[in-house]
Amino acid sequence: LERERQLREKFSKKINAFVGATPEANASAQGSPASKGQQPEVPFFSTLFGRLLFFLTSIYMLSLLAQMDNPNSAMTILQGIPWWQLPPDVIAYFTLCRAMFSFSEQSGLRAKFEDFKRNQPTANFAQFCQQVYPGTFSGYRTSEHELISALVTILQSSTDLKVQELVAKTAGMSRDRKATVDNVMDALRRDYPHILLPVSYTHLRAHETPEHLVCRLLLEKKKKTT
């Protein structure tokens, strides 16, 4: 988004500079004998249209080139792996980076991750974040370990990546990263209470099934005999 904004600003400056010179060009054209009593010259509008088309095409090509990745880069390889084959902590850190980092920060993260993998080929993305960005995902009320543990627990018990949508949606509510971390943790507790909220022993006994009862009695009997 930042690169697109800069390109638009450059394009508008060039258009304004070109349009600002048109009155002089028209005055000179009207002063020439060949142009007296005629309509404005068609080549001027053709040139303007051609330049406009050129700049729009350039912006489109730049946007395509920006989306192209080196297929052998560490980040591209990581993104090409199916999510169910990745460790949960890698998915957790990747989700937080995509949701909380700006476009320029993600570009810097990509470059640092490439250098990190060259020096430590066996390390994964979670280890990279822990060593290069320690404490980045800590909030005012939530530690980074607590947030990552919650995401890992949810991912281990989920069959989809709906938690990524929740994190991305919640992360856009505040520009303060620490407040964003707290908001994400609150959203996880709200949407996944059966996974994150502590359950009392009385609650477990109240919802105990016959199979659970048999297993519990067998374990208690085993403990008494040993």
Side-chain angles (χ1 to χ4, degrees):
L1 292 175
E2 181 67 18
R3 183 180 299 176
E4 182 180 0
R5 186 186 63 80
Q6 294 176 358
L7 289 174
R8 287 181 177 177
E9 289 180 356
K10 292 180 179 179
F11 173 72
S12 60
K13 289 180 180 178
K14 290 183 178 180
I15 291 297
N16 292 333
F18 182 81
V19 174
T22 55
E24 299 176 2
N26 291 336
S28 61
Q30 292 176 1
S32 61
S35 61
K36 290 182 178 180
Q38 296 181 359
Q39 297 294 329
E41 294 183 359
V42 177
F44 165 74
F45 295 101
S46 300
T47 305
L48 180 61
F49 178 78
R51 292 188 178 185
L52 178 62
L53 183 62
F54 171 78
F55 285 122
L56 291 177
T57 306
S58 301
I59 293 175
Y60 178 72
M61 293 301 297
L62 288 173
S63 64
L64 291 180
L65 290 174
Q67 296 176 1
M68 294 177 62
D69 292 325
N70 181 9
N72 297 322
S73 67
M75 184 63 72
T76 305
I77 294 174
L78 174 64
Q79 293 175 337
I81 301 175
W83 69 270
W84 58 86
Q85 297 180 5
L86 291 171
D89 58 343
V90 172
I91 304 176
Y93 274 106
F94 188 81
T95 301
L96 293 175
C97 289
R98 290 292 298 270
M100 298 186 187
F101 281 15
S102 64
F103 181 81
S104 58
E105 289 175 329
Q106 291 184 27
S107 300
L109 179 142
R110 178 186 292 270
K112 291 181 180 179
F113 183 58
E114 300 294 338
D115 296 337
F116 183 82
K117 287 292 289 184
R118 280 192 288 268
N119 297 327
Q120 303 184 36
T122 58
N124 59 26
F125 188 76
Q127 295 169 338
F128 159 75
C129 291
Q130 292 168 359
Q131 296 183 27
V132 181
Y133 295 94
T136 301
F137 302 111
S138 296
Y140 296 108
R141 298 178 284 103
T142 308
S143 65
E144 180 174 317
H145 176 73
E146 183 181 4
L147 179 60
I148 296 298
S149 300
L151 284 171
V152 168
T153 303
I154 293 171
L155 290 168
Q156 287 176 339
S157 59
S158 301
T159 58
D160 52 39
L161 291 178
K162 290 184 178 180
V163 65
Q164 283 190 337
E165 300 178 2
L166 175 63
V167 172
K169 181 180 179 180
T170 308
M173 297 180 179
S174 175
R175 295 184 178 181
D176 186 352
R177 184 168 295 169
K178 290 184 177 294
T180 299
V181 170
D182 294 335
N183 293 337
V184 169
M185 193 64 198
D186 294 339
L188 294 177
R189 290 195 181 103
R190 182 186 66 247
D191 287 23
Y192 297 92
H194 56 289
I195 298 177
L196 299 181
L197 292 182
V199 180
S200 64
Y201 181 74
T202 305
H203 177 81
L204 292 176
R205 291 291 300 273
H207 294 80
E208 191 175 42
T209 63
E211 292 80 5
H212 294 161
L213 175 61
V214 172
C215 292
R216 181 170 60 82
L217 293 177
L218 290 175
L219 288 174
E220 292 177 356
K221 181 178 180 180
K222 184 177 179 181
K223 289 180 181 179
K224 290 180 181 180
T225 55
T226 56

